Amino acid sequence: MAEQVDLDLVEVAPEARPPVCRIMDYGKYRYDKEKKAKEARKKQHNVQMKTVRIKMYISEHDLQYRLGHIREFIGHGYRVKVSMRFLGRMMAYRDRGREVMEDVARKMEDVAAVDQLPQMEGREMSMILHPI
């Protein structure tokens, strides 16, 4: 039947019992499939991540300045990684650093949600915020 109408016999579902086949123009089918895949890639939204570094002993004004940057990034739809590096004896006061990170998360509750809670990675503590 496929040869009579000058088309291809294509096996659609080989695992089915009995196997399912269709009569179609296979070249056109592949072209349409590639075109749909290309459209899907074009519409795919790449989520980028911005990084904001803060210190454990940060003044209130500096913290507000950094929070302004975080709000701006969140407003543009970026995820934000807030990181804090511990130098030397600061490693003994990691709990103070965690308090600062939780304070940042608390102050950003209206525009961002915590994606990853503050956690240590070597000498650096980081958390990730994403837009609500």
Side-chain angles (χ1 to χ4, degrees), residues 84 86 91 94 98 118-126:
M84 178 184 302
F86 293 90
M91 284 296 284
R94 286 181 285 192
R98 185 173 300 279
Q119 66 183 42
M120 289 296 294
E121 299 166 1
R123 289 191 156 272
E124 188 172 287
M125 180 182 288
S126 63

Side-chain angles (χ1 to χ4, degrees), residues 54 63 67 82 84 94-109 114 116-119 125-127 129:
I54 60 175
L63 182 62
L67 292 176
V82 182
M84 178 184 302
R94 286 181 285 192
D95 54 337
R96 168 74 178 122
R98 185 173 300 279
E99 289 173 11
V100 172
M101 294 289 250
E102 289 170 354
D103 185 41
V104 168
R106 214 175 7 263
K107 290 181 178 177
M108 298 306 297
E109 278 179 341
V114 177
Q116 176 186 320
L117 293 171
Q119 66 183 42
M125 180 182 288
S126 63
M127 80 174 166
L129 304 172

Side-chain angles (χ1 to χ4, degrees), residues 16 23 31 64 129-130:
I23 297 174
Y31 173 76
Q64 292 301 323
L129 304 172
H130 68 272

